[in-house]
Amino acid sequence: MKSIIPLKGLVVSCQALEDEPLHGSSYMVAMAKAAHMGGAVGIRSNGAQDIRAIKQALDLPVIGLNKKLVQGYDVYITPTVEDAVEVHRAGADIVAMDGTGRARPDGRTLEETIRELHAQGILVMADISTLEEGVYAASLGADYISTTLSGYTPYSRQEPGPDLPLITQLKQRVSVPVAAEGRIGSPQEAAAAIDAGADFVVVGGAITRPQCITASFVNEIKSSR
């Protein structure tokens, strides 16, 4: 089993879906380089092609995932063991995956999934939405716990900003590194997540999705009239 990679500070999520203007590995490599120049300690990347390109261009840890919609299933962040292995082979140092107890397309339980990935020497980040899910994933051996899905499952806390209470509670209950991710829209919110106990913070849209950043300015201007 590989040793845990210590991450402290800011990890920048460099992702663009097919319908977004910056979709394409060359754009994501440029974005990752810019993040590195700004002081990011790691990159979170989606899809084997982008992961491979970023790893070839930068000497930074990469948290890799594979977003895949499968009809009939709510799990879409690296939904199967095969997806996780593909991400790992592309060069991801850590593989992020859905860490909830929801049904998976390959029929494996969360416990079976983590066990199989560990058997192949793959470090696992469990993306969870509640304290109970985080504690359970850690008990199964997940190497990192991330609050990525808080607010994105119907049963989790619905808040406009980062789930700071969840971060604090996780740090009190698990011994593995805790990542704060999800709805972190400003440097101040990122700092608040660290103050709440996060070992590192993952920020995506507020840095790497210009259409969303533009929309936030436009909406604020409209609301002020």
Side-chain angles (χ1 to χ4, degrees), residues 43-108:
I43 302 296
R44 181 163 162 131
S45 177
N46 174 46
Q49 185 174 346
D50 286 1
I51 292 165
R52 189 174 295 109
I54 290 170
K55 284 300 293 184
Q56 289 173 351
L58 283 179
D59 185 20
L60 276 183
V62 170
I63 301 168
L65 62 147
N66 190 351
K67 288 182 177 176
K68 182 182 291 186
L69 293 173
V70 181
Q71 188 172 3
Y73 294 90
D74 292 325
V75 169
Y76 75 102
I77 298 177
T78 321
T80 70
V81 167
E82 289 72 22
D83 293 322
V85 171
E86 179 184 10
V87 164
H88 174 68
R89 288 176 178 170
D93 302 281
I94 302 162
V95 174
M97 50 167 279
D98 187 298
T100 73
R102 296 178 294 182
R104 299 165 195 278
D106 60 8
R108 293 180 175 92

Side-chain angles (χ1 to χ4, degrees), residues 123-143:
L123 292 174
V124 174
M125 173 179 284
D127 289 349
I128 56 84
S129 67
T130 66
L131 175 63
E132 292 75 19
E133 288 174 346
V135 171
Y136 183 60
S139 75
L140 298 180
D143 305 288

Side-chain angles (χ1 to χ4, degrees), residues 14 36 89 146 152 169 171 183 192:
C14 298
H36 187 203
R89 288 176 178 170
S146 179
Y152 296 99
Q169 293 164 357
K171 283 301 292 183
R183 302 182 309 283

Side-chain angles (χ1 to χ4, degrees), residues 5-14 35 39-44 60-61 63 94 125 127 144-148 161-164 167-168 171 177-208:
I5 300 169
L7 291 170
K8 297 289 183 180
L10 174 67
V11 171
V12 175
S13 183
C14 298
V41 300
I43 302 296
R44 181 163 162 131
L60 276 183
I63 301 168
I94 302 162
M125 173 179 284
D127 289 349
Y144 305 81
I145 303 296
S146 179
T147 61
T148 311
D163 192 342
L164 301 179
I167 296 165
T168 300
K171 283 301 292 183
V178 172
E181 182 174 8
R183 302 182 309 283
I184 298 173
S186 69
Q188 292 74 25
E189 288 182 338
I194 294 294
D195 290 342
D199 293 279
F200 59 99
V201 176
V202 181
V203 179
I207 297 175
T208 59

